[in-house]
């Protein structure tokens, strides 16, 4: 059993969050340490400068180093700093030493200032902070407090990351789990199952695509069952007739003469025609492997010429009206079969004295072939089913004319494979018009 995706997502999200928290904590600790040290150094430098300014002001007011010395001692006690003043002219020196220890950081904060007094005397003032153990303790406590806060924040962040990762991973993987369950059910043959789709993200898109695939499979299964039933029905009638004729001849109820054998041959020919049409339909449903430039006007003109004899035998006028430069791209043989089926269908269902007209023309981005007739027409409720396999508007008439109910289905599939569309308009008693639209080139 493979590990659950939610566990993997949670683990990796928590791992990334933990590494981020640790990295951020270390960087924050170092940055705070550096900034705190800089802050102490800058503050001490400012304090040292203030001490130098105070000493200079005291001397300006008293004019005597001896008087200033007492103030320097007091100032040293107040500021925790060692103050040394050296008179460059007289060599006089005053020193206020706290007797403490100089810390390395405090030595870096030492200030040496050259001053020139109002009487022209030059002096050098050295101010050095004195290290106090209690200050180090306070600084250490401050750092520990900051580090403790960082650790506490890190722990809370880790807990929040764990909870958020679990919730997010569960939210992401739950639809996938439902999809996996549905896939398993569909794979076992239950084509009615569908995924519940919520939202508009990639997982929702995947669910919708799966539902569409399941619907297509369901539709294909329905078509397969329907096709099997239709084929069985179409084969049953001629086979039953052949069986009846043969048994009657075998039992001596019907003589095996030329006339009766002709009836058997008629049923056999009907079976042969059905199988040929099924083969054509299978080819029509296959992907296009041939793509050539096709002159539809020339194709229609050729077909009309070859079908003139069939139309004349029925006493039907077959008219032609084509426009130049009506081109498309595809398989000329397949398109020829589609257009021929439409014209032959019009001739079969047009009574004596009627007319069938085939035209080709251009309309915007479409190359159009239109076949109209003055035949019996098609009822409105039958129009949506006219291109289905084995569908007949009148079964008895279709059998008399030798139709198998596949010709229009072949035409529909061929046109669809060429990126086109086929439509029909009809009025009972007045005739029908079939329109084929193909991409213009």
């Amino acid at each position: 059993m493979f590990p659950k995706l939610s566990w993997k997502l949670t683990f990796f999200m928590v791992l990334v969050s933990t590494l981020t928290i640790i990295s951020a904590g270390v960087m924050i600790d170092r940055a705070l340490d550096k900034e705190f040290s800089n802050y102490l150094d800058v503050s001490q430098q400012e304090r040292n400068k203030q001490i130098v300014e105070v000493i200079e002001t005291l001397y300006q007011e008293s004019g005597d180093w001896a008087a200033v010395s007492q103030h320097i001692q007091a100032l040293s006690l107040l500021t925790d700093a060692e103050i040394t003043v050296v008179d460059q002219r007289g060599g006089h020196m005053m020193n206020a030493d706290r007797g403490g220890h100089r810390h390395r950081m405090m030595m870096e904060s030492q200030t040496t200032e050259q001053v020139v007094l109002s009487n022209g005397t030059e002096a050098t003032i050295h101010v050095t902070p004195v290290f106090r153990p209690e200050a180090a303790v306070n600084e250490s406590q401050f750092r520990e407090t900051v580090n403790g806060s960082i650790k506490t924040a890190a722990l809370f962040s880790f807990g929040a990351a764990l909870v958020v990762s679990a919730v997010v991973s569960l939210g992401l993987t739950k639809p996938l789990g439902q999809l996996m369950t549905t896939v398993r059910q569909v794979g076992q043959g239950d084509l009615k199952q569908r995924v519940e789709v919520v939202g508009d993200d990639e997982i929702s898109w995947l669910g919708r695509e799966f539902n569409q695939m399941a619907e297509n499979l369901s539709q294909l299964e329905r078509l397969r069952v329907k096709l099997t039933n239709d084929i069985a029905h179409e084969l049953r009638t001629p086979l039953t007739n052949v069986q009846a004729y043969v048994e009657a001849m075998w039992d001596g109820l019907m003589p095996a003469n030329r006339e009766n054998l002709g009836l058997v041959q008629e049923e056999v020919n009907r079976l042969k025609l059905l199988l040929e049409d099924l083969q054509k339909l299978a080819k029509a449903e296959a992907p296009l492997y041939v793509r050539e430039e096709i002159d539809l006007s020339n194709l229609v003109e050729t077909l009309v010429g070859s079908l003139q004899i069939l139309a004349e035998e029925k006493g039907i006028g077959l008219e032609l009206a084509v426009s130049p430069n009506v081109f498309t791209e595809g398989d000329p043989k397949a398109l020829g079969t589609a257009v021929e089926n439409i014209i032959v269908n019009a001739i079969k269902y047009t009574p004596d004295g009627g007319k069938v007209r085939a035209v080709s023309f251009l309309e915007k981005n479409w190359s159009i072939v239109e076949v109209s007739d003055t035949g019996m027409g098609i009822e409105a409720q039958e129009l949506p089913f006219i291109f289905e396999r084995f569908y007949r508007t009148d079964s008895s008439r279709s059998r008399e004319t030798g139709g198998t109910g596949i010709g229009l289905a072949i035409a529909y599939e061929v046109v669809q494979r060429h990126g086109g569309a086929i439509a029909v308009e009809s009025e009972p008693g007045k005739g029908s018009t079939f329109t084929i639209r193909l991409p213009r080139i």
Side-chain angles (χ1 to χ4, degrees), residues 78-109:
L78 291 174
T79 59
D80 292 322
E82 179 183 324
I83 303 173
T84 303
V85 181
V86 179
D87 185 349
Q88 301 293 336
R89 179 179 296 181
H92 183 75
M93 182 179 73
M94 289 178 292
N95 184 21
D97 190 354
R98 292 291 309 277
H101 301 282
R102 296 180 178 86
H103 192 262
R104 182 183 63 83
M105 185 178 295
M106 295 298 139
M107 291 297 292
E108 293 177 355
S109 300

Side-chain angles (χ1 to χ4, degrees), residues 232-254:
H233 176 74
E234 293 297 324
L235 292 175
R236 185 181 299 114
T237 301
L239 286 176
T240 301
N241 292 337
V242 169
Q243 182 183 15
Y245 291 145
V246 172
E247 288 179 352
M249 294 178 191
W250 180 266
D251 294 336
L253 301 177
M254 178 184 293

Side-chain angles (χ1 to χ4, degrees), residues 117-255:
L117 305 178
S118 58
N119 60 2
T121 302
E122 294 182 0
T124 301
I125 302 175
H126 300 278
V127 180
T128 304
V130 177
F131 173 73
R132 292 187 304 160
E134 56 271 23
V137 172
N138 293 335
E139 181 180 344
S140 177
Q141 290 177 346
F142 173 78
R143 293 179 184 276
E144 289 178 359
T145 302
V146 172
N147 290 335
S149 299
I150 293 175
K151 291 178 181 178
T152 302
L155 288 175
F156 277 111
S157 300
F158 177 80
L162 181 61
V163 173
V164 172
S165 300
V167 172
V168 171
S169 62
L170 184 61
L172 289 175
T173 56
K174 185 177 180 181
L176 291 178
Q178 295 175 348
L179 177 60
M180 185 172 62
T181 301
T182 308
V183 168
R184 187 182 301 112
Q185 293 172 339
V186 171
Q188 293 173 351
D190 187 1
L191 299 180
K192 295 181 180 179
Q193 296 296 325
R194 296 293 183 270
V195 179
E196 182 180 355
V197 179
V198 178
D200 196 29
D201 54 11
E202 289 82 354
I203 296 178
S204 302
W205 177 85
L206 180 62
R208 279 189 288 270
E209 290 298 315
F210 174 80
N211 288 342
Q212 183 61 49
M213 183 193 70
E215 180 62 30
N216 293 339
L217 288 174
S218 180
Q219 183 177 3
L220 288 175
E221 179 64 15
R222 290 194 296 270
L223 290 175
R224 184 188 67 82
V225 173
K226 183 177 183 299
L227 180 61
T228 302
N229 293 333
D230 289 342
I231 292 176
H233 176 74
E234 293 297 324
L235 292 175
R236 185 181 299 114
T237 301
L239 286 176
T240 301
N241 292 337
V242 169
Q243 182 183 15
Y245 291 145
V246 172
E247 288 179 352
M249 294 178 191
W250 180 266
D251 294 336
L253 301 177
M254 178 184 293

Side-chain angles (χ1 to χ4, degrees), residues 45-63:
Q45 290 290 346
E46 292 292 333
R47 191 179 296 110
N48 293 346
K49 289 181 181 180
Q50 291 176 359
I51 293 174
V52 171
E53 292 174 358
V54 169
I55 294 173
E56 186 177 359
T57 301
L58 290 173
Y59 183 81
Q60 295 291 353
E61 292 177 353
S62 62

Side-chain angles (χ1 to χ4, degrees), residues 319-349:
E319 301 177 354
L320 175 68
V322 295
S323 300
N325 301 320
V326 182
F327 290 96
T328 189
E329 185 181 54
D331 186 343
K333 188 175 180 180
L335 280 177
T337 300
V339 177
E340 181 182 12
N341 286 351
I342 298 295
I343 298 176
V344 169
N345 191 74
I347 293 174
K348 285 182 179 180
Y349 295 104

